[in-house]
Amino acid sequence: MKTILTDRGSFEVAPGEGLWLSADEVERVSGWTLKPEGMCQADECVPLPADAIRSGRVDLAAFWARLDAPIARSDAGDAWVLGTSAQARNRALAGELAPDFTLPDLDGTPKTLSSLRGRKVFLFTWASW
């Protein structure tokens, strides 16, 4: 079996060449549906190159690259990770507000994030681990 990890969960598919999956498997794994105009999700359709569809199977790796989303696989090709594109993450975060918190500035004066609303704020974080 081949394991595919996505933000939708973990999926097992039959072993085979690369990440060529049936249209049903692609939809189950990715949430994208194969239509005549390409791969579609909600109101968005992405055209596929002709060589990304063969005998009713879709090259999911080629499609994921077309989305400009990260993809990784094990050396043996039995485990794949399909990451979320930066564009999709940005859309999901648009309009979200950071949680309010209070931390001391360099002089030790407590600053609350909400007191800085409407101003440009640069937050720099790091961890020793």
Side-chain angles (χ1 to χ4, degrees), residues 2-14:
K2 191 179 296 193
T3 303
I4 304 172
L5 303 173
T6 73
D7 60 351
R8 298 168 53 90
S10 174
F11 301 90
E12 298 290 325
V13 297

Side-chain angles (χ1 to χ4, degrees), residues 71-91:
I71 185 169
R73 71 174 189 90
S74 65
D75 288 339
D78 59 346
W80 293 73
V81 178
L82 304 178
T84 304
S85 71
Q87 183 182 32
R89 285 191 310 271
N90 288 341
R91 276 195 311 262

Side-chain angles (χ1 to χ4, degrees), residues 95-120:
E96 293 291 322
L97 295 177
D100 201 23
F101 59 88
T102 302
L103 292 172
D105 65 13
L106 294 175
D107 297 324
T109 306
K111 298 285 183 180
T112 302
L113 183 61
S114 61
S115 69
L116 302 172
R117 287 221 200 286
R119 298 172 57 190
K120 291 183 181 181

Side-chain angles (χ1 to χ4, degrees), residues 35-55:
K35 294 185 177 180
E37 55 269 32
M39 296 299 295
C40 301
Q41 187 179 58
D43 295 336
E44 181 180 9
C45 286
V46 177
L48 281 176
D51 61 351
I53 302 172
R54 183 183 342 144
S55 303

Side-chain angles (χ1 to χ4, degrees), residues 23-38:
D24 289 341
E25 288 175 315
V26 169
E27 185 170 0
R28 181 173 61 94
V29 168
S30 70
W32 290 81
T33 305
L34 179 62
K35 294 185 177 180
E37 55 269 32

